[in-house]
Amino acid sequence: MKEKIVEVMNVNYSKNDVEILKNINFEIFCGDFVGIIGPNGAGKTTLAKIIVGDIKDYSGKVIVRGKIGYVPQMKDINRDIPILVREFASMGLYEKRGLFRFFTKEDWKEIERNLEMVGIIKLKDRPITKLSGGELQRLMLARALLYNPDILILDEPEAGVDQMGKARFYELIDTLRNDKNLTVILISHDIGMIFQKCEKIMCLNKTLHCQAPRERISLENLQEVFSEDFDIWIRGQKHYEREHKS
Amino acid sequence: MIGLIREFFSYDFLVNAFIAGLLLAVSTSIYSPIVVLKRMEFIGDGTAHAVFAGLAIAFLLNLDYKPIAILTAIIFGLLISFLSQREASENTAVGILLPVFMAFGMVVVSFIKGYTPDIMSYLFGNILLISLEDVYYLLLITSISILLYIFMRKEILYFLADEKTARFFKVPITFIRTTLLIGLALTVVSAVKISGVILVGAFLVIPGTISKIYARKFDHMIFYSLIINITATVIGIIFSYLFDLPPGPTIVLLLFGFYLLSFLKRIM
């Protein structure tokens, strides 16, 4: 039996009298690769922020047994700032040094190792103002990895990244998961990719409509979460297909 | 030329003005990139107007202006920090509080009997009234600003680039924001005699705006701002001496001239 690494019990969250999450219960086990899907405004990011500890005024209980590496949505970043790639990544090591302290040579080596791991070592002295969406996504991943996490939470990592970039990014996640024995929680709109990669899938729209291994999730489940007339694009291994609700 | 320089440096007040101008150029060039990158361009103006309220109180009660100006500037900085974390952006917070402090200052001024010429000199600044004590204060503030930049460089960068997630990585964002706003408040107080309440914003906005266009690194932004500020200050003071112009506004016009040049260079 694998160890429980995240437990979410009876979580409810409202903001300005609007109910955002209702009665959320689930468990994630060590080494799981979990995908969370749901339409816009379903509360996916809110749920991530609750697990991460960014939102605290929810009711219910959340237990996390491990360190989280958080890759938030790209739109949180001010891409106008002339901060170098390696400087940005160093944020992941901040906890180790803290206020008024300088990073050591070893710290910078570790930062470079992580930039190498995510494949952007060549960009280490480039300002983030000159990065593409895919490169910035990798940089945020490197920053999260430098935090030395047990759990990786990725919030819509495909946003603003081209198709090739997406595919390579997911491959990278796979590799890291195996190498570092990470538990991964992936929030995404990319239903096809989630079905292809994740072992367990949660469908969220204010409340959890289904959570099961991917084999047991049906099109009906998805249509319950998304609206009824939703056309689902499913990306197969080598092709796209479209399934209509007739 | 040499005769002119000798003549210039034979006046104590001119030497004081010159040193004060240079020190202000250094400290504002550290804050200017932060102010511009964080899109809080009006913070300088806001703080300066808050200082006006402090000056009014000091004149009414016949107290030394500096401690009270510092106090009001810090209160203003803390209020902005508080509001901008909860309610709105820094600019909105400044927009709300600037007129309030200014109005308060005006009400206080109305209680002062008789003519209040000194208040006017603080509104527009008069670099030629700089005392040795002012120079020491500027030296202290400039040193603090430089130390902040050296020891909090990475925190400032995190604060600018990704404030939200920085909190997650245990970066003390509230501390950084408050420290920077207080540092900025102290700098503005030090600038009031030189540029006046109304002009201080130019030192904080124009250099950062120009340097942002050309800099690849944050440090370059500070360096370019420094060059812009020092050039404008030196030329400004010399011009104002030669042509009998008010120094503060002359420096501001020169800063704007630099901005115009960089703008023209880009569109041509």
Side-chain angles (χ1 to χ4, degrees):
Chain A
M1 187 71 188
K2 282 196 285 188
E3 222 178 301
K4 283 177 196 167
I5 195 162
V6 178
E7 284 180 76
V8 174
M9 285 167 274
N10 223 353
V11 164
N12 289 278
Y13 180 71
S14 316
K15 198 176 180 185
N16 303 328
D17 291 330
V18 179
E19 197 174 43
I20 295 170
L21 291 174
K22 191 181 161 189
N23 203 15
I24 308 283
N25 286 285
F26 63 84
E27 291 163 349
I28 292 172
F29 294 90
C30 223
D32 274 358
F33 192 176
V34 180
I36 301 179
I37 51 176
N40 278 328
K44 302 187 297 291
T45 298
T46 307
L47 181 58
K49 287 195 166 163
I50 285 175
I51 300 173
V52 161
D54 211 13
I55 295 177
K56 294 185 176 75
D57 53 340
Y58 58 88
S59 71
K61 202 170 178 190
V62 175
I63 301 171
V64 180
R65 294 187 188 85
K67 227 171 152 197
I68 297 175
Y70 182 37
V71 181
Q73 289 187 21
M74 219 186 288
K75 63 176 166 55
D76 285 350
I77 293 174
N78 185 349
R79 292 170 76 171
D80 254 1
I81 308 298
I83 177 174
L84 303 182
V85 164
R86 59 184 167 81
E87 290 172 335
F88 188 90
S90 72
M91 203 191 289
L93 273 189
Y94 183 77
E95 190 193 31
K96 208 170 142 190
R97 288 286 162 256
L99 202 58
F100 305 133
R101 303 273 182 80
F102 297 103
F103 289 119
T104 62
K105 252 186 197 155
E106 281 69 41
D107 292 338
W108 288 114
K109 268 186 200 152
E110 197 181 336
I111 290 162
E112 289 189 5
R113 263 200 304 280
N114 280 272
L115 290 175
E116 177 125 49
M117 210 184 317
V118 302
I120 53 168
I121 185 69
K122 278 187 186 153
L123 309 175
K124 72 181 162 95
D125 287 314
R126 196 178 281 190
I128 63 163
T129 49
K130 303 240 190 297
L131 295 189
S132 71
E135 288 161 348
L136 188 61
Q137 200 56 259
R138 279 158 189 267
L139 173 56
M140 292 201 292
L141 181 62
R143 177 178 69 172
L145 291 172
L146 276 161
Y147 200 54
N148 210 5
D150 307 299
I151 310 161
L152 206 53
I153 299 185
L154 304 141
D155 193 354
E156 291 187 23
E158 76 278 2
V161 181
D162 60 71
Q163 289 298 335
M164 274 299 280
K166 271 187 214 176
R168 281 209 221 107
F169 188 76
Y170 287 117
E171 266 168 41
L172 176 63
I173 299 287
D174 265 348
T175 317
L176 289 170
R177 199 166 80 89
N178 294 329
D179 290 356
K180 293 183 170 260
N181 197 21
L182 287 169
T183 306
V184 180
I185 303 173
L186 174 63
I187 293 168
S188 177
H189 277 300
D190 196 339
I191 300 172
M193 196 54 96
I194 288 230
F195 268 82
Q196 194 186 315
K197 295 279 180 192
C198 300
E199 299 154 345
K200 209 184 267 178
I201 293 167
M202 292 189 216
C203 310
L204 182 77
N205 196 355
K206 199 156 87 174
T207 188
L208 276 182
H209 287 266
C210 55
Q211 48 171 323
R214 70 173 154 210
E215 307 82 54
R216 302 224 312 263
I217 304 247
S218 66
L219 196 60
E220 283 69 38
N221 289 143
L222 291 182
Q223 263 151 356
E224 192 186 329
V225 175
F226 295 90
S227 62
E228 287 238 339
D229 51 10
F230 187 79
D231 287 339
I232 296 164
W233 289 77
I234 293 190
R235 179 157 58 168
Q237 204 74 12
K238 291 193 181 93
H239 65 287
Y240 296 91
E241 55 187 67
R242 190 174 191 188
E243 301 204 14
H244 287 282
K245 184 177 185 280
S246 52
Chain B
M1 184 67 193
I2 294 183
L4 187 74
I5 294 172
R6 194 171 292 155
E7 185 189 322
F8 184 91
F9 282 101
S10 66
Y11 297 107
D12 275 351
F13 69 94
L14 276 177
V15 175
N16 282 347
F18 201 71
I19 297 171
L22 288 180
L23 287 170
L24 181 67
V26 174
S27 62
T28 48
S29 58
I30 289 172
Y31 293 107
S32 184
I34 299 172
V35 163
V36 170
L37 290 173
K38 199 69 187 170
R39 306 245 165 87
M40 45 184 195
E41 284 89 348
F42 291 104
I43 190 85
D45 286 299
T47 316
H49 284 77
V51 167
F52 176 76
L55 291 174
I57 295 172
F59 278 108
L60 181 69
L61 304 176
N62 216 357
L63 299 166
D64 182 15
Y65 88 93
K66 203 162 267 155
I68 294 180
I70 291 171
L71 198 68
T72 38
I74 288 178
I75 290 172
F76 184 81
L78 290 176
L79 280 174
I80 296 293
S81 171
F82 178 80
L83 273 182
S84 59
Q85 260 173 75
R86 270 151 229 266
E87 290 283 353
S89 73
E90 272 93 356
N91 266 351
T92 312
V94 171
I96 294 168
L97 291 177
L98 182 153
V100 172
F101 273 73
M102 193 68 191
F104 180 76
M106 299 298 275
V107 169
V108 173
V109 167
S110 74
F111 287 114
I112 302 173
K113 292 199 173 63
Y115 182 54
T116 49
D118 292 337
I119 289 262
M120 279 305 154
S121 81
Y122 285 107
L123 275 180
F124 297 100
N126 190 344
I127 200 168
L128 303 178
L129 288 180
I130 296 283
S131 65
L132 200 58
E133 188 201 330
D134 293 323
V135 173
Y136 288 141
Y137 175 72
L138 262 162
L139 191 62
L140 177 73
I141 297 303
T142 309
S143 314
I144 293 174
S145 308
I146 293 171
L147 288 175
L148 271 185
Y149 166 56
I150 293 175
F151 287 99
M152 277 176 62
R153 184 181 168 281
K154 64 180 187 309
E155 284 85 357
I156 293 171
L157 280 171
Y158 301 154
F159 169 68
L160 294 173
D162 190 4
E163 184 184 331
K164 277 190 189 162
T165 321
R167 278 179 204 279
F168 170 81
F169 289 106
K170 306 278 191 313
V171 182
I173 292 295
T174 308
F175 174 80
I176 295 161
R177 183 200 304 279
T178 311
T179 309
L180 287 176
L181 286 173
I182 290 177
L184 198 60
L186 295 174
T187 303
V188 169
V189 173
S190 74
V192 157
K193 253 193 179 174
I194 298 175
S195 63
V197 165
I198 294 171
L199 304 180
V200 65
F203 285 91
L204 289 167
V205 178
I206 297 176
T209 308
I210 302 174
S211 60
K212 186 182 163 201
I213 300 159
Y214 301 100
R216 262 175 63 91
K217 274 182 82 172
F218 180 65
D219 310 84
H220 295 173
M221 258 183 102
I222 290 180
F223 182 67
Y224 296 159
S225 297
L226 187 66
I227 291 178
I228 294 164
N229 266 340
I230 288 184
T231 314
T233 305
V234 171
I235 299 178
I237 292 177
I238 294 172
F239 267 30
S240 62
Y241 175 71
L242 288 178
F243 305 112
D244 198 21
L245 302 168
T250 309
I251 296 171
V252 171
L253 289 175
L254 276 167
L255 282 172
F256 182 70
F258 290 157
Y259 173 74
L260 216 55
L261 278 179
S262 83
F263 181 75
L264 289 174
K265 194 173 162 256
R266 265 175 298 143
I267 58 167
M268 294 212 303

